[in-house]
Structures are given as C-alpha cells and as structure tokens.
Amino acid sequence: MRHLLDTTDLTLSEIDEMVSLALDIIENGDKYAKACEGKKLATLFFEPSTRTRLSFEAAMLELGGSVLGFSEASSSSTAKGESVGDTIRTVSNYADIIAMRHPHEGAAFVAKRKTLVPLINAGDGGHAHPTQTLTDLLTIFREKGSFNNLTIGLCGDLKFGRTVHSLIKAMSRYSNIRFVLISPEELKVPEYIIKDVLLPSGAEYTEAKTIEEAIPELDILYMTRVQRERFATEEEYLKHRDAFILDLEKLKGAKEYLTIMHPLPRVNEIAEEVDSDKRAKYFEQALNGKYIRMALILTLLNWRNEPDNNLPESYIECGKCSNPHCISNYQSLKNLCKISETDGTKRCIYCENEIL
Ligand code: CP
C-alpha cells in the first residue's frame, strides 16, 4: 500500500505515468466512468477548502465511486477532543482511500502511521500540498510540453505557502530549472527547503524584491496568496497583504508565452483584469486538479499490493519541535527526529523543521 504525503513519495517515472493517465482521462473520460465502482473516498477536511475537496469528490464520482466525509473539524469528533490518529484509524474502516487536510504541519505524517487504507495529504498547515503540485505539474505539461528548461518565478508568501514548498521539491528534480523567489524578507522560503531541497538538487535560484525586476526572464509566474490564517496577529498579516499585486501594467515586461499560475483562492494578488489575458491559466489549473486527482485515486487504489511506504524508519527521540504550527505541539505524540543527510541537523519527523 502506498500513500502520498509529498511529491517526493513518487519517482519521476511515476509522476510521468500519472500525468499520462490524467491526459488519457481528459481525452477518454467515458473509459473510466466505472473504474471505481463500489469504492469509497473519505474527504476529511479539518481546514476550509473549495478546490481540493470538491475536485477530489468530483474525481471519485466521475470514476463511478462514492464519497463520504466532513468539511470542517467542528462537525467531527475532533470537537470532542479526538486525536488525528484515532480519527484516521476509525475512518479507514469505512473507506477505501482517504484525502485529509489539516491546519497543523505534520498531521499527514501522523495519519499515515495510523491508516489502514491509502492516505493522501490534501494539505497540512504550511508544510506540504502534493496534490496541488500534481495539479501544477499537469498544468505545466499541458502548457509547456515538458518539465525541463524552465525559469519559474514563485511570488508571495513563500514561508507558509505549502503549495510553493511542494512545487519546489517536485520541479527541482528536473533538468535546467531556475527559480526566482519573489517575497518579502519575512516570508522567505524556509531554511529546510533551501538546505535539503534546493542546494542538493543543484537547481539555480535567485531572489527578487519586485515582480517587475523578475518578470522578463520568467516562463512561469506562480503567484500565491498571503494567508491570513497562518499569521499570529492581524497586524502582521496586514503588513504583508498587499506586498505583490500582479496587474496588466506589470505584465508588459513579460514573455509572450509566460504561463501565469496560482493555486487559488486569490484575495487581491492578481487583479481581475489579468483573468482575460491569454497567459492567465489559473482556472484551467483548477480544472486540471480534478483530472490529476482522478489519476491519483486510480493509481493508489491499483497500488494496494505494492510494497508499503508506511514502514517504520529510524528515528531518534529528541526535544520539543520549535515550530509552533507543528502537530507534535498540539497532540500527545513522541518528539521524534531524523538526522538530515545534507547538514547533519536534527529535523522533526512531522513537520521537517529543525529541532533546536
Ligand atoms: N488550491 C487549494 O488548495 O484550494 P482550496 O483551499 O480551495 O482547496
């Protein structure tokens, strides 16, 4: 049985196969209309969602399966104090596959260790969002025809932006990828992404302070929202909310074949006037999310007899995780870490942040 906690759980050839399957679903949807007959998907969303939850549910329904679940923690027994582990262990008795979103970083790791069925991370706090990345990869492939030789601008909240973290992990595995990181000082990409992902991959990266200075060289501009829900205070959020706003004026310096992406929802970071520009692909991206999730559900259900990627690894006991959003600081869990292969530091097994 295999799970998806991040895109690094998939080899590049597995990603290629999943993208090919999604393309076939787009072309020949009828062929898959009964592919999941009799199967159930549980969508357990402890945090709000429009695209991820509904595209997962639409995906399973279009495959002939059925869905159950909840869209807010308050309507589940979480409200009575139930742990993530107990919820997952229970629901895995009722469903054949589970997609879970949770506000705390590392919650998907906890769920993976308890589930009896394939577990999909549909977003864990500011940590990872691999099915958004698969959505992004399908969009990039449909727009560019390749995953190689691209300059990708990542703009906005790169600190808490889980879609950005997962996308960097995925794209840095391809050839001749350059990243331009466009963010305020306080919302820069976390250290572990630089040390454990970008540096070992050899992918080039530069930093930029404005969209205007970065845009001429970009093949892809990936905009992200400054996420109110990740800040400790409203004041901190307001300080950064309007940091980057893409409008038609700023697009004047861009390539004709730039692809503008955004995981959505947007607040104000892309002016509505950009929606009608032929380079704006974020609503197509949202549609691609349904197709790639159909491919993912089919693949994970087909992999039921594959070797387990839920085996115990070698972890060591350590001190409390310093990340205030880590699941280990909210639930009764052992403080465990692994030693980073790149710099020997201790990393929390749940959220990957450094243990100080
Ligand atoms: N992109 C994304 O995760 O959107 P939702 O929060 O609406 O699911």
Side-chain angles (χ1 to χ4, degrees):
M1 181 168 60
R2 300 268 301 269
H3 309 281
L4 182 71
L5 264 62
D6 212 338
T7 42
T8 43
D9 290 332
L10 300 168
T11 64
L12 292 188
S13 63
E14 286 168 347
I15 288 176
D16 283 347
E17 280 167 30
M18 218 173 288
V19 168
S20 297
L21 178 55
L23 293 172
D24 193 52
I25 290 168
I26 292 167
E27 288 299 314
N28 307 293
D30 290 351
K31 208 166 93 185
Y32 299 91
K34 293 185 175 176
C36 285
E37 216 166 40
K39 300 285 182 201
K40 293 190 285 282
L41 165 74
T43 53
L44 309 185
F45 278 63
F46 298 87
E47 193 184 57
S49 165
T50 296
R51 275 146 294 275
T52 311
R53 185 172 68 83
L54 295 179
S55 66
F56 258 119
E57 296 187 356
M60 192 52 156
L61 294 173
E62 289 193 24
L63 291 167
S66 44
V67 294
L68 65 160
F70 52 81
S71 59
E72 50 186 49
S74 61
S75 65
S76 76
S77 285
T78 306
K80 302 174 199 160
E82 186 169 61
S83 68
V84 171
D86 282 359
T87 302
I88 291 294
R89 177 68 181 79
T90 303
V91 175
S92 64
N93 289 317
Y94 309 145
D96 300 284
I97 185 164
I98 296 173
M100 183 189 91
R101 171 172 289 185
H102 198 281
H104 293 142
E105 290 150 31
F109 186 89
V110 175
K112 176 179 103 159
R113 299 178 107 194
K114 294 288 180 181
T115 184
L116 303 174
V117 299
L119 186 284
I120 300 168
N121 179 11
D124 59 333
H127 179 225
H129 193 352
T131 68
Q132 180 62 49
T133 300
L134 292 174
T135 300
D136 301 340
L137 292 177
L138 177 59
T139 306
I140 291 170
F141 192 80
R142 293 186 80 186
E143 292 302 319
K144 304 294 187 199
S146 166
F147 296 125
N148 301 310
N149 307 315
L150 295 167
T151 299
I152 305 170
L154 300 164
C155 179
D157 176 1
L158 310 187
K159 179 180 179 185
F160 298 117
R162 59 192 174 197
T163 61
V164 165
H165 306 161
S166 290
L167 187 60
I168 292 175
K169 285 182 183 173
M171 289 307 296
S172 60
R173 295 158 86 190
Y174 294 98
S175 302
N176 194 24
I177 297 298
R178 286 189 63 236
F179 294 102
V180 183
L181 308 175
I182 313 161
S183 72
E185 191 61 29
E186 297 91 332
L187 298 180
K188 283 166 79 162
V189 165
E191 267 306 299
Y192 81 86
I193 295 282
I194 303 282
K195 283 189 189 168
D196 288 0
V197 184
L198 280 172
L199 292 177
S201 77
E204 246 185 80
Y205 73 94
T206 54
E207 292 180 349
K209 293 263 177 288
T210 64
I211 295 178
E212 293 91 316
E213 70 184 274
I215 209 164
E217 60 177 328
L218 302 181
D219 300 303
I220 293 169
L221 173 57
Y222 194 94
M223 296 294 296
T224 62
R225 172 175 68 99
V226 174
Q227 304 168 87
R228 172 181 260 132
E229 65 272 29
R230 308 277 177 236
F231 288 90
T233 64
E234 180 74 3
E235 195 186 356
E236 266 183 84
Y237 164 67
L238 291 175
K239 185 174 157 203
H240 298 298
R241 187 189 57 184
D242 302 327
F244 300 103
I245 297 176
L246 180 67
D247 56 21
L248 289 178
E249 185 60 32
K250 293 192 182 109
L251 274 174
K252 280 184 180 159
K255 288 181 183 171
E256 186 184 350
Y257 295 106
L258 172 73
T259 299
I260 306 166
M261 297 172 66
H262 191 312
L264 303 178
R266 76 170 146 192
V267 180
N268 63 346
E269 59 281 0
I270 301 182
E272 280 196 28
E273 63 184 17
V274 175
D275 296 1
S276 49
D277 189 290
K278 65 178 174 35
R279 293 167 288 191
K281 298 293 175 189
Y282 27 92
F283 290 110
E284 285 89 336
Q285 191 182 348
L287 174 59
N288 286 331
K290 182 185 72 172
Y291 297 125
I292 201 71
R293 288 180 176 106
M294 289 171 82
L296 175 64
I297 291 168
L298 281 172
T299 303
L300 289 181
L301 289 176
N302 283 338
W303 282 350
R304 286 301 294 269
N305 298 322
E306 291 278 308
D308 206 329
N309 67 343
N310 193 18
L311 295 174
E313 297 170 48
S314 51
Y315 305 128
I316 53 172
E317 289 205 34
C318 58
K320 196 166 140 38
C321 179
S322 57
N323 171 12
H325 307 289
C326 179
I327 186 79
S328 65
N329 288 317
Y330 291 86
Q331 305 210 341
S332 169
L333 296 164
K334 255 190 188 160
N335 291 315
L336 294 172
C337 67
K338 56 188 171 188
I339 306 294
S340 162
E341 284 172 19
T342 46
D343 63 4
T345 54
K346 288 180 183 171
R347 300 298 169 92
C348 171
I349 59 159
Y350 305 103
C351 72
E352 300 187 76
N353 277 276
E354 198 168 332
I355 303 279
L356 301 173

